[in-house]
Amino acid sequence: MQLPSTTDILIVGAGPAGLALATELRRRKVEALLIDKQAEGANTSRAAVVHARTLEVLEPLGIVPQMLEDGVVIPIFRARDRDRALLEVDFRHLETQTRYAFTLMCPQNRTEAILLARLKALGGGVSRPLELTGFRADSERVDAQIKAPDGIHRLRAKWLVGCDGAHSFVRDNSGINFEGGAYEQGFVLADVRMDWPLSRGEVSLFFSPAGLVVVAPLPDDQFRIVATVDDPPEKPDIAYVQGIIDVRGPTKGERRIREVVWGSRFRIQHRVVATFRSGRVLLCGDAAHVHSPAGGQGMNTGIQDAIAVAEPLIRALTNGDAEGLDAWSERRREIAKSVVSLTDRMTRAATLKSWPAELLRNAAISLIGHLPGMPDRIARQLAELDNR
Ligand SMILES: Cc1cc2nc3c(=O)[nH]c(=O)nc-3n(C[C@H](O)[C@H](O)[C@H](O)COP(=O)(O)OP(=O)(O)OC[C@H]3O[C@@H](n4cnc5c(N)ncnc54)[C@H](O)[C@@H]3O)c2cc1C
């Protein structure tokens, strides 16, 4: 396998964060080596929510029109107690603040394919399967050990960026603390085709005594269903998902699951790294922060970490000025902590298990919906516009 023996920037992990960084660097005429240990990219839908701030930071890459074409534009998030609407968050009210006054539902494999196509159009690509299996960093360089199908290669880089996901090898081998904890609650996720009585223009969040279920429209006439459950099955089938909708969703109108296109389950943690930078090692995306999927913030925050690091990284490379990287690390950590805190509040509210507490919660959500300006503040926070 042909591998260079040196590179300025080694990016480990070609998920959304690594792809976004490699593409942004290429756009700015800076080459990086992007490697991934998987022989092929993942082809499942996973993170499907793309928020306004992410579209803004991706704009210079010229891929937003394609994302808009492939996704579904959703103007409204509505919290419900079965048939009763409790709170409406209308992203259209952000139209004086952003060009993207909506949420886009676009499956992660589509977003990754669009980023990769742009990276290739700019002359780049992903080198795979190549696994980072060891590295040593000092103040001048990083010496990396990479496992390839034909054996072990050694490579010297000026900077190493770990975009290698929640179980990050780069993070764990840099001695950077990953502070936080785990939730007891499990989640089940299913992309389905179904008869559904509510508008395809809204994401519905049903707060019920049995737990939360979120129903969000996806492209190809599909819906994403995510629910909190104690013991999620590995592959939810039609009957399982139907049971959740019957007990937690609307009581009126046709709501029949016809097909489960893809299903999965996951357990989650809430953690943020102590720093995004340790010398010549940087972290972006899930490698630096993991949290509840509430509000669909995960992939968005990771892509924004990656786009934001490009400028200070190029400066560090060209004139040795690494101060911008420390400022980036501090700012991204602040943002990650506020995302963890927001998603934690939402998750704890959604998973209350006592009847009086649920009544109080639903009353509080309804009250928030009537406080002047409050739904628009929530829209702004979910859209991550405060991260500018
Ligand atoms: C089933 C499921 C459902 C999800 N649903 C949602 C959702 O609804 N909403 C949401 O916001 N988020 C969701 N997520 C999380 C979302 O997918 C992540 O936030 C997102 O993928 C993080 O992107 P990333 O680029 O940081 O890391 P990843 O996408 O995890 O990419 C990391 C990459 O690094 C590679 N890698 C790892 N170690 C090495 C190594 N040593 N050498 C080389 N390569 C390496 C991996 O192969 C991988 O391709 C879901 C995740 C899963 C698994």
Side-chain angles (χ1 to χ4, degrees):
M1 193 165 205
Q2 280 298 329
L3 253 185
S5 58
T6 61
T7 181
D8 282 344
I9 302 168
L10 172 62
I11 304 171
V12 180
L19 285 167
L21 176 57
T23 313
E24 175 63 0
L25 289 171
R26 271 269 164 181
R27 184 183 75 83
R28 290 160 170 254
K29 314 257 182 291
V30 175
E31 277 187 37
L33 178 66
L34 171 59
I35 64 166
D36 199 289
K37 66 181 179 185
Q38 302 294 338
E40 279 178 32
N43 61 4
T44 51
S45 66
R46 293 161 295 147
V49 182
V50 184
H51 284 300
R53 183 62 191 147
T54 305
L55 294 169
E56 288 180 353
V57 303
L58 290 176
E59 225 173 52
L61 293 180
I63 59 172
V64 173
Q66 187 67 56
M67 292 177 73
L68 295 179
E69 204 179 309
D70 288 9
V72 187
V73 167
I74 306 286
I76 290 176
F77 275 23
R78 197 169 273 128
R80 296 173 172 276
D81 177 0
R82 308 295 310 251
D83 299 309
R84 189 165 66 100
L86 299 172
L87 163 71
E88 177 179 289
V89 174
D90 190 337
F91 291 90
R92 288 172 297 196
H93 295 172
L94 301 176
E95 68 192 0
T96 55
Q97 303 173 46
T98 176
R99 264 194 290 282
Y100 308 107
F102 51 80
T103 284
L104 184 72
M105 294 299 297
C106 184
Q108 185 171 331
N109 52 331
R110 276 309 304 151
T111 300
E112 289 179 5
I114 293 168
L115 277 166
L116 179 61
R118 186 71 190 124
L119 177 60
K120 285 183 173 167
L122 291 166
V126 183
S127 301
R128 51 170 84 230
L130 295 176
E131 180 178 0
L132 181 76
T133 50
F135 66 90
R136 268 213 350 246
D138 62 25
S139 58
E140 302 290 315
R141 68 179 82 86
V142 181
D143 287 313
Q145 176 181 287
I146 292 171
K147 190 169 123 198
D150 61 355
I152 300 291
H153 293 247
R154 290 183 197 284
L155 183 141
R156 179 163 288 183
K158 291 189 181 138
W159 294 92
L160 168 64
V161 191
C163 299
D164 50 344
H167 305 287
S168 171
F169 177 86
V170 175
R171 180 193 65 229
D172 290 349
N173 286 274
S174 304
I176 298 175
N177 276 343
F178 204 25
E179 298 154 355
Y183 291 102
E184 277 174 25
Q185 201 69 42
F187 288 81
V188 68
L189 178 160
D191 292 351
V192 305
R193 291 201 170 85
M194 66 173 175
D195 300 319
W196 185 240
L198 302 176
S199 159
R200 272 183 66 83
E202 82 167 58
V203 169
S204 313
L205 302 93
F206 293 91
F207 290 85
S208 83
L212 176 79
V213 60
V214 179
V215 179
L218 286 180
D220 298 332
D221 204 26
Q222 295 180 29
F223 290 86
R224 158 69 53 89
I225 295 178
V226 184
T228 53
V229 281
D230 287 334
D231 199 8
E234 195 179 339
K235 292 220 179 304
D237 60 11
I238 289 181
Y240 187 87
V241 184
Q242 185 72 57
I244 287 177
I245 292 293
D246 288 348
V247 173
R248 307 184 190 188
T251 63
K252 298 183 182 126
E254 194 64 41
R255 47 200 192 286
R256 187 174 60 90
I257 312 286
R258 284 184 273 114
E259 180 189 356
V260 175
V261 179
W262 177 68
S264 183
R265 65 177 170 183
F266 55 99
R267 292 199 175 270
I268 43 166
Q269 309 209 343
H270 47 95
R271 293 183 188 277
V272 179
V273 282
T275 176
F276 279 54
R277 174 182 179 213
S278 170
R280 291 194 165 257
V281 179
L282 311 169
L283 298 171
C284 289
D286 277 18
H289 44 79
V290 288
H291 35 80
S292 152
Q297 310 285 294
M299 182 186 74
N300 288 275
T301 313
I303 289 176
Q304 291 168 41
D305 295 337
I307 298 289
V309 80
E311 169 72 34
L313 184 53
I314 293 170
R315 234 181 303 132
L317 204 56
T318 45
N319 47 25
D321 168 16
E323 269 180 28
L325 286 171
D326 287 329
W328 164 82
S329 167
E330 250 171 64
R331 176 74 182 125
R332 293 316 300 178
R333 187 159 181 273
E334 243 173 60
I335 288 170
K337 281 172 75 176
S338 82
V339 169
V340 168
S341 144
L342 170 72
T343 55
D344 186 56
R345 285 198 305 274
M346 289 164 74
T347 306
R348 290 190 194 284
T351 52
L352 287 173
K353 283 203 166 146
S354 86
W355 176 71
E358 281 164 19
L359 271 185
L360 272 177
R361 173 203 56 207
N362 289 6
I365 293 174
S366 182
L367 180 68
I368 288 168
H370 289 92
L371 292 177
M374 193 52 112
D376 294 352
R377 273 178 54 192
I378 297 173
R380 195 181 154 80
Q381 209 174 356
L382 287 174
E384 301 199 4
L385 294 180
D386 292 330
N387 297 358
R388 283 173 176 149

